[in-house]
Amino acid sequence: MSPSDSSPKIDTPVTANRTASTQSCTIVIFGASGDLTQRKLLPALYNLLLDGLLPDNFAVLGLGRKPLSDDDFRSIARKGIEKFSRQTLEPDKWKSFQSRLFYCAGDIVASDYYGTIRKRLKEIESPFKLPGNRIFYLAIPPTSFAPACEGLQNAGLVAAPDQEDTYSRVIVEKPIGHDLSSAQAINTAIGNVFDEAQIFRIDHYLGKETVQNIMVMRFANSIFEPLWNHKYIDHVQLTVSEAVTLGTRATYYEGAGALRDMVQNHILQLLCLIAMEPPYSLDPDVVRNARMDVLRGLRPIRGEDVEKMTVRAQYAHGNIKGQEVPGYRREEGVQPDSTTETFVALKVFVENWRWAGVPFYIRTGKAMPTRASEIAVQFKDIPQILFNANPQIPQAPNLLTLRIQPEEGMALRIISKVPGSKARTHPVEMDFHYGDAFKAPSPEAYERLLLDVMAGDTSLFMRRDAVEASWKWVTDILEGWSAYETKWLPEYPAGSWGPVEADRLIHAGGHHWRKI
């Protein structure tokens, strides 16, 4: 091919083959009888098997309090795969997969349980000739992280980070704490047993295809980077809306709220990917350092700014897709005087040269009209001349929209001439859908993330300093809210896009929320 040949290249590799360093291993799941394991983890492992991405030699040991046999656990796994897997159950593949599933019942806080786990692992790994590489998935409440890690260490089940023949890795589910001090305590407890390189703090949003594509979109296309700054971008909107209400999560949600549940982890990580400087390589720590710089650059929201830059609210009685739902305070398990927010909107600034003066508007909430996650980058208006000369009918600005869910893809709004003899313009969208373009469903986030853990790739996982930096920023807001001693939050009807206070927040900057 000559240097001048500009025909597109397909499947250009950007990293080494992830499966190349995936070694035989045993995956030990704490909380294996729970919802996450049945809905996400076991179907993800099964899909990796179907795709030929799991190591040829592996085993899965489920741990939980429920007294289940191996066959009981396999039955639960089959039901989960039949209901939640993106690929259908294939009898031959299932037979092979289920033969690698095992279960061991016990109490996490009982010291003798870990001796039983060690014995069970030996019984499982010996016939399969597994080398002792182990991944411990803590799908359990954060209060159980410390006893689980200490129990594994005391039983001699944690390999040293510099041990060459075997490895030990631990996956930690959110939430990692409920404020800065609790996050530091949890990180210290885990860090006393595992080295930072062995710890994988999982955020499933970072495994989604569109989130993965943010870096590719920004740094593999020369048309975007020169425009990706305060000179050309007017503002950015990050929306994560949930159509569901509280459901059965009152115990957790009453102590969390939308800020802790969604902003501290998912949304701040999306902001980091949008706002980060170009990393000089795809080395995991280089990429994570670039994301960390964004967290360090967030303008603190304290004192009077808490009222000016934040809005929190609760959903009231309303209608979602034809179904009547009660207000938050009338949900089972919620205190009648609760001030836990189910909606939050924020106006955020990143204090550096690239983003000086550009507002990032964040909103997330439950009981909203639809389930959607998107990032909208709005570019600045063109001058009020030529095709934008009529101030009564301003031209729509260019807009880049990244859809994370439910339909993954992106759209770029440009202005085009309307066919005809008159010089009329109209906004049109260049729309890209992953499913249409590649004719295949995207892998589930947990598939990608589990595979990365097996390969030892930490790129998509949060480092300790990032967790604590995000909690530090969020804790300032929480303390500000606490100082006002609010006894009643604004409300928004279930099935709406939030309270009028959120509209006022964005209108103050001359902007409007996008209609999704």
Side-chain angles (χ1 to χ4, degrees):
M1 182 183 295
S2 67
S4 60
D5 191 331
S6 59
S7 56
K9 300 176 182 179
I10 307 299
D11 294 334
T12 304
V14 294
T15 58
N17 186 342
R18 291 172 184 249
T19 60
S21 59
T22 303
Q23 304 171 22
S24 300
C25 64
T26 306
I27 301 161
V28 182
I29 303 175
F30 285 80
S33 58
D35 187 61
L36 178 67
T37 302
Q38 185 181 27
R39 290 173 61 93
K40 297 294 185 182
L41 304 185
L42 292 173
L45 291 170
Y46 175 73
N47 280 307
L48 290 174
L49 176 72
L50 291 186
D51 292 343
L53 297 174
L54 271 187
D56 293 333
N57 197 8
F58 73 95
V60 178
L61 175 61
L63 307 176
R65 289 188 176 184
K66 290 185 179 178
L68 303 175
S69 66
D70 290 344
D71 286 339
D72 292 334
F73 183 53
R74 290 164 184 167
S75 176
I76 290 172
R78 179 172 184 137
K79 290 176 182 176
I81 290 167
E82 289 175 335
K83 187 173 182 179
F84 302 112
S85 172
R86 67 179 173 87
Q87 301 183 78
T88 58
L89 190 139
E90 298 181 13
D92 290 343
K93 293 291 187 180
W94 165 250
K95 185 177 180 180
S96 172
F97 185 70
Q98 75 157 354
S99 69
R100 304 284 180 140
L101 302 181
F102 305 90
Y103 189 83
C104 180
D107 189 342
I108 288 176
V109 299
S111 58
D112 58 348
Y113 182 35
Y114 295 88
T116 304
I117 295 172
R118 177 172 183 153
K119 180 181 178 182
R120 193 81 167 99
L121 282 170
K122 187 175 182 181
E123 293 171 352
I124 294 167
E125 292 172 342
S126 182
F128 290 124
K129 295 183 170 54
L130 286 161
N133 294 325
R134 291 163 187 154
I135 295 170
F136 301 102
Y137 200 121
L138 304 187
I140 51 179
T143 53
S144 299
F145 290 171
C149 291
E150 291 167 5
L152 292 171
Q153 183 182 48
N154 294 336
L157 293 172
V158 180
D162 56 354
Q163 195 166 322
E164 295 183 2
D165 52 342
T166 58
Y167 68 73
S168 293
R169 294 166 186 159
V170 63
I171 304 175
V172 183
E173 271 283 347
K174 80 171 187 76
I176 301 175
H178 62 273
D179 58 13
L180 177 58
S181 61
S182 59
Q184 290 172 327
I186 290 172
N187 278 330
T188 298
I190 301 170
N192 287 337
V193 177
F194 292 92
D195 184 78
E196 182 62 30
Q198 298 174 297
I199 303 171
F200 293 74
R201 299 173 185 85
I202 196 166
D203 182 344
H204 72 275
Y205 259 58
L206 293 183
K208 291 180 178 292
E209 199 67 55
T210 309
V211 176
Q212 289 295 291
N213 198 39
I214 292 174
M215 281 185 61
V216 177
M217 181 273 298
R218 285 191 57 192
F219 305 131
N221 296 286
S222 61
I223 62 173
F224 290 120
E225 183 55 27
L227 309 178
W228 213 255
N229 55 61
H230 66 94
K231 293 181 180 179
Y232 301 101
I233 291 177
D234 182 72
H235 72 279
V236 180
Q237 294 185 29
L238 294 91
T239 297
V240 178
S241 66
E242 298 178 276
V244 297
T245 56
L246 184 63
T248 59
R249 301 181 70 209
T251 302
Y252 162 72
Y253 204 83
E254 267 288 87
L259 186 69
R260 289 184 174 98
D261 187 46
M262 296 299 294
V263 175
Q264 183 271 329
N265 42 74
H266 301 327
I267 295 178
L268 285 185
Q269 286 302 301
L270 295 179
L271 191 153
C272 287
L273 289 168
I274 285 293
M276 66 190 282
E277 294 295 321
Y280 65 82
S281 80
L282 291 176
D283 177 81
D285 270 330
V286 173
V287 174
R288 296 201 291 182
N289 285 342
R291 297 204 304 257
M292 182 64 195
D293 284 341
V294 177
L295 293 174
R296 291 193 181 104
L298 290 178
R299 180 191 295 177
I301 300 179
R302 302 180 184 131
E304 294 181 355
D305 285 342
V306 172
E307 280 196 306
K308 295 177 183 177
M309 315 289 269
T310 76
V311 170
R312 53 179 173 150
Q314 292 175 339
Y315 64 83
H317 172 269
N319 189 291
I320 303 175
K321 298 181 178 178
Q323 183 176 354
E324 193 172 349
V325 298
Y328 178 73
R329 293 190 182 198
R330 294 186 178 274
E331 296 275 19
E332 185 177 351
V334 175
Q335 296 296 318
D337 59 348
S338 171
T339 57
T340 298
E341 77 285 356
T342 64
F343 174 95
V344 64
L346 306 170
K347 186 177 183 180
V348 179
F349 290 93
V350 179
E351 300 284 34
N352 59 25
W353 281 89
R354 179 183 292 268
W355 296 111
V358 177
F360 290 77
Y361 295 104
I362 293 170
R363 62 173 169 170
T364 183
K366 289 187 175 296
M368 302 188 83
T370 187
R371 172 179 173 263
S373 297
E374 72 162 39
I375 302 166
V377 180
Q378 182 169 312
F379 294 89
K380 290 191 174 181
D381 293 331
I382 61 173
Q384 289 188 328
I385 56 174
L386 302 175
F387 301 108
N388 195 31
N390 186 350
Q392 304 301 319
I393 311 174
Q395 191 72 266
N398 297 124
L399 183 75
L400 176 66
T401 306
L402 308 173
R403 297 185 302 270
I404 298 168
Q405 62 183 17
E407 293 185 1
E408 296 181 324
M410 67 174 69
L412 178 62
R413 184 171 72 195
I414 61 173
I415 305 303
S416 177
K417 181 184 178 297
V418 177
S421 57
K422 294 183 178 180
R424 292 187 298 138
T425 61
H426 188 76
V428 296
E429 284 197 347
M430 303 171 65
D431 207 347
F432 162 72
H433 293 257
Y434 271 94
D436 294 341
F438 298 111
K439 309 300 180 185
S442 299
E444 292 288 338
Y446 279 96
E447 295 174 37
R448 178 185 297 275
L449 295 171
L450 285 170
L451 188 61
D452 280 359
V453 177
M454 294 178 208
D457 186 342
T458 58
S459 301
L460 302 181
F461 299 85
M462 294 182 71
R463 214 165 49 193
R464 175 174 183 164
D465 56 355
V467 171
E468 295 180 4
S470 63
W471 268 122
K472 184 178 186 300
W473 187 80
V474 164
T475 299
D476 283 341
I477 299 173
L478 291 169
E479 290 176 349
W481 286 347
S482 178
Y484 285 105
E485 297 182 350
T486 301
K487 295 181 179 180
W488 191 267
L489 297 187
E491 293 183 323
Y492 59 100
S496 71
W497 281 106
V500 295
E501 287 82 359
D503 294 331
R504 293 171 187 157
L505 173 72
I506 196 168
H507 291 168
H511 305 123
H512 302 272
W513 292 114
R514 262 181 48 78
K515 294 181 180 179
I516 299 176

